[in-house]
């Protein structure tokens, strides 16, 4: 069993990637609350430092300001 399995990670979102601050296997979408495995994480906001499950959630977050 992996030590970080089932634990949320804490990330620093950067323009071209992210840095793991606290190890884990997923983050939570800021819009939907859905878990996102780190290996499939593709959408985030550097300014708001939050992750999104898809382009749809990223667009909703941008529209809401």
């Amino acid at each position: 069993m992996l030590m970080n399995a089932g634990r949320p990670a804490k990330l620093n979102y950067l323009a071209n990637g992210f840095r793991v601050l606290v190890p884990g296997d997923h983050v939570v979408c800021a819009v939907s609350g859905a878990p996102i495995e780190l290996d499939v994480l593709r959408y985030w906001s550097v300014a708001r430092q939050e992750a999104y499950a898809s382009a749809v959630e990223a667009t909703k977050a941008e529209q809401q300001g």
Side-chain angles (χ1 to χ4, degrees):
M1 181 172 168
L2 298 174
M3 290 192 55
N4 296 319
R7 296 177 64 187
K10 174 107 172 120
L11 306 180
N12 180 22
Y13 300 99
L14 307 168
N16 294 317
F18 53 83
R19 182 176 48 174
V20 177
L21 301 175
V22 176
D25 67 352
H26 71 281
V27 292
V28 177
C29 176
V31 174
S32 69
I36 310 163
E37 294 183 27
L38 296 185
D39 60 343
V40 298
L41 177 60
R42 301 289 180 264
Y43 302 96
W44 59 81
S45 169
V46 173
R48 289 188 289 279
Q49 288 294 294
E50 54 189 28
Y52 310 111
S54 72
V56 172
E57 285 87 354
T59 301
K60 284 181 185 178
E62 186 64 31
Q63 290 170 343
Q64 292 172 353

